[in-house]
Amino acid sequence: MSDRFIRQERLPQIGTEGQAKLAAARVALVGVGATGSHLAASLGRAGVGRTEKGGLLRLIDRDIVELSNLPRQTLFTTADVESVRPKAEAAAEALEHIDPGLALEPVVEDLVSDNANQLLGDVDLVLDGTDNFTTRMLVNDLCVRDGRPWIYSGVVGTEGQLLVVRSSTACLRCYVPELPAPGTLPTCDTAGVLGSVVSLITSLVATESLKIILKDDDVRDGEVFVVDGWRGDVRTVSLSIDPTCPCCQRQSYEFLNSQSAAMPTELCGRNAIQLPPTGAPVDLESAAKRLAKEGVVTRSRFLVRLDSPDRRLLLFSDGRVIIDNTQSASEARSVRAKLLGD
Ligand SMILES: [Zn+2]
């Protein structure tokens, strides 16, 4: 290896042997927004998941880069917003410029029970970069079932949290037993988010990730880190296994077994509804022609976007549709029927 990682190799905790382990690691990032893009940058720069050793950095995200993402989401530029790029693709390209040796796999899909095995089943570590507990519970189910380590992290307002989940320690469901009812928790939409807290929490997650990959004895599982980014406080709260936990104790993997993939989803911070694929084959070329009668159409490898005076619609190559300026699934469905005929 060149001297790219020489300063890291000098650390007694890593060394040349540890650096080789980082290169060989296979890591999936679920969500490449605020926390996910910071984590991708941190791990990629540290040499995690390089081609020469059979490593992998899989970047999974369902959405495109938006202007309001740029204050917090590293790796993206105004040009990505203008060219309607999916976050996964834009992040992978930015990382490739940083280190062409990285084994990057952008995935422009929504992680759901149907594809969770395929997207997370062949990696050593899963990192949470999502903004919702439904996806986190799904990741928790799959990783606990398979004994695969994963790290939950989230940032709202000026506070961030993280939890390392490994077999034999408490899981996310020991901490959050049920899905919070819609509207009961503050979200980045209602409470805002301070960009510097994202850097704080993801620095801690990135360090725990390296320790997990290196099989270091000092991995901090079984405790929740709580970061108050405004005051600059980091504290930890120990978390015991809940003997009634449906996931890690009763092995009833409800989120993995549910059909959440079939449900429309409200997207946090977007005033938009995502409709799942209908199952009909997707032909972006003919959809673009059809939509061109309605407004300005932009086409890329992964999607078609329509901008019309009263509407914006995204059709992805996996069949998902995102419709802006609505929070009603039935309105979104009728817009899709009118514009795409299904
Ligand atoms: Zn549990």
Side-chain angles (χ1 to χ4, degrees):
M1 213 175 278
S2 65
D3 55 2
R4 179 186 282 268
F5 301 109
I6 198 157
R7 304 274 158 75
Q8 226 166 249
E9 289 170 350
R10 208 160 278 164
L11 292 169
Q13 295 92 335
I14 298 181
T16 48
E17 228 174 87
Q19 193 61 49
K21 283 186 196 165
L22 298 181
R26 298 173 63 83
V27 177
L29 269 141
V30 183
V32 192
T35 49
S37 62
H38 274 78
L39 289 171
S42 226
L43 296 191
R45 285 185 191 274
V48 172
R50 289 169 59 86
T51 311
E52 70 202 3
K53 299 275 184 188
L56 174 73
L57 262 188
R58 181 174 290 141
L59 309 172
I60 307 162
D61 196 283
R62 63 187 179 187
D63 214 341
I64 56 167
V65 182
E66 302 266 6
L67 198 57
S68 66
N69 300 151
L70 298 185
R72 293 171 313 289
Q73 304 191 9
T74 183
L75 298 176
F76 306 139
T77 64
T78 307
D80 293 323
V81 178
E82 285 161 0
S83 56
V84 205
R85 299 195 76 192
K87 289 181 184 180
E89 187 195 23
E93 190 185 283
L95 282 172
E96 201 175 338
H97 287 306
I98 292 165
D99 183 352
L102 289 169
L104 298 155
E105 187 188 315
V107 177
V108 186
E109 285 181 42
D110 199 10
L111 183 88
V112 288
S113 50
D114 283 351
N115 61 11
N117 264 319
Q118 180 208 333
L119 293 177
L120 307 183
D122 61 347
V123 297
D124 309 313
L125 172 67
V126 178
L127 300 179
D128 165 24
T130 68
D131 55 7
N132 71 85
F133 272 93
T134 309
T135 310
R136 287 170 179 144
M137 293 296 202
L138 172 64
V139 171
N140 191 59
D141 271 4
L142 186 109
C143 290
V144 168
R145 187 197 67 183
D146 296 352
R148 179 175 297 109
W150 80 279
I151 306 180
Y152 150 65
S153 63
V155 175
V156 173
T158 58
E159 189 183 283
Q161 296 199 349
L162 81 89
L163 172 68
V164 174
V165 177
R166 295 199 293 178
S167 47
S168 81
T169 55
C171 78
L172 181 66
R173 245 184 132 178
C174 295
Y175 181 46
V176 182
E178 296 300 331
L179 270 188
T184 55
L185 280 188
T187 66
C188 56
D189 208 8
T190 58
V193 57
L194 183 67
S196 55
V197 185
V198 176
S199 319
L200 269 170
I201 204 84
T202 51
S203 296
L204 293 167
V205 173
T207 308
E208 292 306 310
S209 303
L210 300 188
K211 291 195 289 189
I212 290 171
I213 295 166
L214 296 168
K215 302 204 183 315
D216 191 280
D217 294 334
D218 195 27
V219 174
R220 302 280 295 267
D221 50 11
E223 48 190 341
V224 181
F225 283 65
V226 182
V227 175
D228 178 338
W230 199 253
R231 285 185 48 85
D233 285 346
V234 180
R235 63 195 169 89
T236 57
V237 182
S238 80
L239 180 68
S240 320
I241 291 177
D242 174 357
T244 66
C245 176
C247 178
C248 69
Q249 297 304 300
R250 296 188 172 158
Q251 286 90 40
S252 139
Y253 305 112
E254 295 162 23
F255 292 88
L256 202 50
N257 299 327
S258 85
Q259 290 305 307
S260 58
M263 303 294 288
T265 318
E266 207 176 312
L267 301 183
C268 177
R270 286 272 263 110
N271 186 27
I273 295 281
Q274 172 184 271
L275 297 172
T278 58
V282 181
D283 178 353
L284 292 182
E285 190 65 53
S286 60
K289 276 189 198 141
R290 181 176 181 141
L291 291 171
K293 295 173 207 136
E294 307 288 337
V296 180
V297 167
T298 320
R299 162 94 203 270
S300 80
R301 185 155 64 99
F302 290 104
L303 61 99
V304 174
R305 180 175 81 173
L306 165 71
D307 288 286
S308 73
D310 56 339
R311 197 54 81 188
R312 195 176 79 164
L313 174 148
L314 296 164
L315 168 66
F316 290 86
S317 51
D318 64 357
R320 287 176 302 119
V321 172
I322 294 179
I323 292 170
D324 280 37
N325 293 327
T326 179
Q327 290 176 348
S328 150
S330 57
E331 187 188 347
R333 280 202 193 91
S334 71
V335 171
R336 178 176 65 185
K338 178 175 165 262
L339 297 178
L340 291 168
D342 52 24

